[in-house]
Amino acid sequence: MNNPLLRGLTQSRYSRRDALRFAGYSAAGLALAACGVQGQKAAAPSPSAVADFWSTRKKNGRVVFANWPEYMPEDQAPLKQFQQATGISYEYKEVIQENAEFFGKSEPQLRAGQPLGYDIIVMTNGLQLGKMIQLGYLTALDHKQLPNFAANAGASYKNPAYDPNNTYTIPYQAGVTGIAYNTKYVDEDITSIQSLFDKKYEGKVGMMADAQEVGNFGMFAVGIDPDKSTQADWEKAAAKLKEQRDQGIVRKYYAQDYIDAVAKGDVWLSQAWSGDVFQRQLAGEPVKFVVPQEGGTIWIDNMAIPKGAANPVDALMLMDFLYKPEIAAELTSYIQYVTPVNGVQQILAGKSDDDSKALAESPLIFPTEADYAKLRPYRTLTNAEEPVYNGLFQTITQG
């Protein structure tokens, strides 16, 4: 089935986000992620050290790309075009199923100075990517070799708080966590996060089980910017979320099946990911999506070069190639989440097929400037902060 929109609606598609957001609840992922992470925090490399490193690296004609399932068109056309344009052969491996599990398997090798066998990996801004950066397991990028990124990356994707100046990462895809609601049962326009805490929706609200997702919304609800938050702020947000739970407002803390619950009316409104709602809207289901006025979460899946990669120059070339708008448009047509690349919306709008136009016109795929202004990332946590943060919010969702 070649039509990407129809594919998304007719297959029981194992969502890229389903695996990602709940890595912390996999027993294997938790056990692996806990192993061997006591290393010392690495100092940021100096500009001269970065320049010295890259001055000795050359194109080798090969690149190995480790990614998540459902994150590249099935025909791998963008990669084939890269090979044709550069002469660099590629090997594409869908080996990343969870951030925690991938980090847990990779960390012992990287700590021992052994290469992973991948030149590019994709990880989400959050706990495990933060550890990769803190422990010195990623290669600082040579931005002189990333002209397409410099020219075409959206402003919201440059200089992120979790990786200042994009020292180690550049975005691959992104998405938004907001509120989805079923218009058959909700007879008002939802604009505020306070609707998730409203007693009139008792037993009809869905929240996410992931600590960072629910924690961000708890902080938005009490007027706190998650990115600037302190432990005292987390405690305030946790108290708000505990009150919501104890009042019976929350029907369930969801892993990956919240969108079915909203569509069926099992819950009337819920925390939600933009791409999931977009696919339901295309199917004609009565589901709306909004970024609340208090704020929503932007999450970003990032490309990085792991320490010891055999082909770093080839990796940089592929990373930069994916920032060509026409190539990024192919990725967006298939993945149906938010692209970090400027110019894609115009390309899709200019195509003659209805599918491309639907993508181009959707604020779930191309957030408005007003929405971007309300979006915040997850709080970047230190090793010491992580158990405190998780303890506060997991107690609510699991208890």
Side-chain angles (χ1 to χ4, degrees):
M1 185 179 299
N2 294 323
N3 184 318
L5 298 181
L6 188 59
R7 165 183 51 75
L9 299 174
T10 58
Q11 293 184 7
S12 178
R13 187 176 177 192
Y14 181 64
S15 169
R16 156 79 186 84
R17 305 308 303 171
D18 294 347
L20 167 65
R21 296 291 356 117
F22 298 93
Y25 293 91
S26 159
L30 278 170
L32 286 166
C35 296
V37 294
Q38 302 303 317
Q40 297 296 313
K41 182 176 179 180
S46 67
S48 61
V50 174
D52 288 346
F53 172 86
W54 287 103
S55 68
T56 62
R57 268 62 182 183
K58 293 181 170 52
K59 174 182 170 182
N60 294 327
R62 182 174 184 268
V63 64
V64 183
F65 189 174
N67 207 346
W68 300 72
E70 301 280 1
Y71 236 22
M72 179 66 65
E74 294 172 4
D75 61 4
Q76 299 184 357
L79 299 178
K80 291 176 181 176
Q81 292 174 69
F82 171 74
Q83 180 170 314
Q84 184 176 13
T86 64
I88 297 172
S89 64
Y90 69 88
E91 188 173 355
Y92 185 72
K93 298 185 176 184
E94 294 182 339
V95 296
I96 305 176
Q97 301 287 341
E98 295 180 349
N99 280 301
E101 181 183 41
F102 182 74
F103 175 81
K105 289 180 177 179
S106 302
E107 198 278 334
Q109 289 178 249
L110 294 168
R111 177 161 38 91
Q114 300 172 356
L116 296 180
Y118 311 127
D119 301 306
I120 301 173
I121 58 175
V122 177
M123 296 184 71
T124 312
N125 62 302
L127 301 177
Q128 286 76 35
L129 179 61
K131 289 178 180 178
M132 293 286 276
I133 292 173
Q134 291 170 19
L135 296 172
Y137 293 158
L138 300 180
T139 300
L141 304 178
D142 181 4
H143 278 267
K144 293 179 182 177
Q145 299 187 57
L146 295 170
N148 289 324
F149 171 77
N152 300 321
S156 298
Y157 302 96
K158 292 183 175 180
N159 194 30
Y162 60 86
D163 181 23
N165 300 313
N166 298 96
T167 300
Y168 300 99
T169 68
I170 61 173
Y172 180 71
Q173 294 290 301
V176 174
T177 306
I179 298 174
Y181 61 101
N182 189 315
T183 56
K184 283 179 61 177
Y185 303 98
V186 178
D187 59 2
E188 61 178 326
D189 289 332
I190 300 295
T191 60
S192 172
I193 204 166
Q194 299 304 329
S195 295
L196 294 172
F197 298 83
D198 193 329
K199 281 284 289 181
K200 73 179 179 182
Y201 295 121
E202 180 178 345
K204 294 298 183 181
V205 169
M207 298 292 286
M208 291 184 172
D210 177 75
Q212 288 196 293
E213 289 282 23
V214 78
N216 262 28
F217 268 51
M219 284 186 269
F220 292 140
V222 294
I224 293 166
D225 182 342
D227 199 40
K228 301 175 182 177
S229 62
T230 65
Q231 182 174 335
D233 295 328
W234 309 339
E235 292 169 354
K236 186 177 179 181
K240 177 77 170 177
L241 291 163
K242 183 177 183 298
E243 181 182 26
Q244 178 200 37
R245 182 197 67 186
D246 293 347
Q247 289 180 345
I249 295 172
V250 179
R251 178 184 177 93
K252 184 178 177 181
Y253 295 94
Y254 286 94
Q256 59 188 33
D257 50 349
Y258 72 89
I259 193 63
D260 287 331
V262 175
K264 294 175 182 176
D266 294 340
V267 296
W268 295 355
L269 63 165
S270 177
Q271 280 187 280
W273 297 316
S274 52
D276 288 348
V277 178
F278 175 72
Q279 292 179 6
R280 296 306 177 111
Q281 289 178 344
L282 287 172
E285 295 179 359
V287 182
K288 283 190 174 182
F289 180 86
V290 63
V291 177
Q293 61 193 21
E294 297 88 349
T297 300
I298 184 168
W299 45 260
I300 300 173
D301 292 336
N302 301 272
M303 295 182 284
I305 301 174
K307 186 178 179 181
N311 308 294
V313 171
D314 308 77
L316 274 183
M317 292 177 68
L318 176 52
M319 291 162 69
D320 196 55
F321 185 81
L322 297 178
Y323 271 80
K324 289 178 174 286
E326 63 273 20
I327 300 300
E330 295 183 38
L331 293 175
T332 300
S333 292
Y334 179 79
I335 299 169
Q336 299 170 13
Y337 270 92
V338 179
T339 178
V341 182
N342 286 334
V344 171
Q345 186 173 22
Q346 291 83 353
I347 290 172
L348 293 175
K351 292 183 179 294
S352 59
D353 62 289
D354 292 339
D355 294 348
S356 295
K357 292 185 182 299
L359 282 164
E361 293 171 1
S362 174
L364 282 72
I365 305 299
F366 297 98
T368 65
E369 289 187 14
D371 281 343
Y372 268 123
K374 295 184 287 185
L375 297 176
R376 297 293 182 270
Y378 306 123
R379 170 68 151 74
T380 301
L381 300 172
T382 66
N383 288 337
E385 290 173 330
E386 179 186 343
V388 177
Y389 185 98
N390 285 340
L392 284 167
F393 294 111
Q394 288 178 358
T395 298
I396 294 164
T397 62
Q398 297 178 356

